[in-house]
Amino acid sequence: MKSINRPELFDFEGISMVHYFTDNWENIQNFKARPDDILVATYPKAGTTWVSYILDLLYFGNTAPERQTDLPIFMRVPFLEAAFPGLPSGVELADALPTTPRLIKTHLPVQLVPKSFWEQNCRVVYVARNAKDNAVSYFHFDRMNMGEPEPGDWNTFLQKFKDGKNVFGPWYDHVCGYWEKKQTCSNIHYMFFEDMVENTGREVERLCSFLGLSTPTEERERITKGVHFDAMKQNNMTNYSTVPLLDFKISPFMRKGKVGDWKNHFTAAQNEQFEEHYRQKMKNTTLQFRTEI
Ligand code: PPS
């Protein structure tokens, strides 16, 4: 991969973006989904990798052992809108997937998801994470990811998060957008990071029931163990240690995996202002989050 510079944020179709996710726009919008494709949709840092790995194990854990030992998760579950210089684009990787179903990742807000996913009635697994922990995780990710704009210090980043000035736009619109869509679209399974931390096994079971999978209990238990934070952090195929643009000396990709780490970052004043702003932004939705479990 060629070395890359931290990109600038710009407005794209009404949301903040960087060019790595818009350079291939025509091919992204014209992507041809198949009816059995499964789209993993999230706001960045909400649990994408976790749920991608669960899905991969549910479908392909017993098929090809080399898939588990040699193929990083981001090759098994391509990131649709990614277009980094010197690497195959997400669309190319998705088009070349030999599996059925194809598992495909996106961070696009619901209104920018390529229309063929809806036309083909694909299943969508959406994961949401409470805003405070999501912001903290995104802050540390932007510090260590040279493919993201400079986050600035925590206070600067938090203000940008509230203003929706991060890549993929406002958290508020993202989580609410898929929540509203789910009200009329039974093919969306809406999950919460906090529920996964609280009881991963239960969430795997719910996922199986959404997908119509009759995975035996012992296997579900094996998968639940394999996707534990510590196991994924040790596993070079799931911990992103093979990606050169991430600087693990600054912060690891598998950082803490906790609910409530926001308490180690927000000052009392930041918390008060955040909550006031949050109430305004979320006043018209029935969507509820837990910031502790
Ligand atoms: S990305 O870059 O948007 O795809 O990142 P994403 O995978 O969505 O989110 C990364 C955060 O999820 C945490 N994570 C986990 N937590 C608990 N258990 C497991 N198994 C797990 N896998 C990933 C990861 O640690 C990041 O959260 P933070 O809070 O930064 O630790």
Side-chain angles (χ1 to χ4, degrees):
M1 181 176 178
K2 293 178 194 155
S3 71
I4 67 169
N5 296 322
R6 279 190 181 270
E8 293 294 326
L9 209 58
F10 61 93
D11 184 83
F12 181 80
E13 307 265 344
I15 62 160
S16 297
M17 274 296 226
V18 290
H19 71 92
Y20 298 123
F21 304 128
T22 61
D23 282 350
N24 199 27
W25 197 246
E26 209 174 305
N27 292 325
I28 297 165
Q29 285 303 293
N30 292 329
F31 181 73
K32 285 198 173 39
R34 298 183 197 146
D36 45 17
D37 285 346
I38 298 175
L39 188 66
V40 177
T42 59
Y43 191 71
K45 314 320 289 178
T48 331
T49 315
W50 198 0
V51 90
S52 297
Y53 189 37
I54 293 173
L55 287 168
D56 184 69
L57 289 173
L58 282 171
Y59 281 104
F60 310 118
N62 290 329
T63 49
E66 62 285 358
R67 183 178 173 90
Q68 298 304 324
T69 51
D70 300 350
L71 207 56
I73 191 67
F74 49 82
M75 299 299 282
R76 299 180 216 169
V77 185
F79 183 7
L80 190 65
E81 54 272 23
F84 290 98
L87 290 178
S89 70
V91 169
E92 283 166 334
L93 289 173
D95 279 336
L97 280 178
T99 57
T100 306
R102 300 186 300 184
L103 306 173
I104 299 168
K105 155 181 167 176
T106 188
H107 289 317
L108 291 171
V110 70
Q111 73 276 15
L112 297 184
V113 168
K115 63 179 184 316
S116 82
F117 284 100
W118 308 119
E119 288 166 355
Q120 296 296 324
N121 249 329
C122 297
R123 280 168 302 184
V124 178
V125 176
Y126 187 79
V127 192
R129 185 177 192 181
N130 81 75
K132 293 180 189 177
D133 283 327
N134 207 141
V136 167
S137 183
Y138 209 166
F139 169 62
H140 289 293
F141 187 62
D142 281 4
R143 289 172 55 232
M144 60 87 84
N145 183 351
M146 301 309 132
E148 289 278 301
E150 276 286 354
D153 65 13
W154 164 242
N155 196 50
T156 308
F157 182 85
L158 186 60
Q159 190 56 50
K160 285 195 278 196
F161 186 89
K162 285 157 76 176
D163 295 340
K165 299 288 181 209
N166 349 62
V167 187
F168 295 105
W171 173 92
Y172 311 90
D173 297 354
H174 206 284
V175 295
C176 291
Y178 281 90
W179 183 252
E180 295 315 320
K181 181 84 179 172
K182 177 191 143 65
Q183 310 311 318
T184 54
C185 177
S186 60
N187 280 354
I188 300 181
H189 182 59
Y190 201 104
M191 302 176 71
F192 293 93
F193 182 91
E194 295 72 29
D195 292 348
M196 290 170 72
V197 172
E198 182 178 66
N199 190 337
T200 312
R202 179 193 61 205
E203 295 308 310
V204 171
E205 198 178 342
R206 286 181 178 162
L207 199 50
C208 286
S209 122
F210 167 70
L211 297 167
L213 293 175
S214 51
T215 313
T217 313
E218 315 79 70
E219 189 169 340
R220 271 197 274 110
E221 285 169 357
R222 210 169 34 247
I223 291 172
T224 301
K225 242 191 221 150
V227 304
H228 188 274
F229 180 84
D230 298 333
M232 284 183 63
K233 191 177 170 82
Q234 294 305 318
N235 181 345
N236 285 341
M237 294 299 110
T238 58
N239 65 13
Y240 274 74
S241 56
T242 53
V243 178
L245 87 174
L246 305 181
D247 188 344
F248 279 55
K249 289 194 292 300
I250 299 176
S251 181
F253 181 89
M254 296 290 299
R255 196 182 57 87
K256 286 195 182 171
K258 296 255 187 281
V259 180
D261 188 37
W262 63 270
K263 292 177 193 168
N264 299 315
H265 291 76
F266 283 68
T267 63
Q270 283 170 345
N271 192 37
E272 208 173 293
Q273 287 157 14
F274 190 86
E275 291 202 346
E276 177 54 33
H277 178 259
Y278 186 92
R279 266 192 294 278
Q280 287 300 319
K281 295 299 273 186
M282 300 294 275
K283 67 172 188 271
N284 293 326
T285 180
T286 53
L287 180 57
Q288 301 273 339
F289 284 89
R290 292 189 287 167
T291 54
E292 47 197 304
I293 53 171

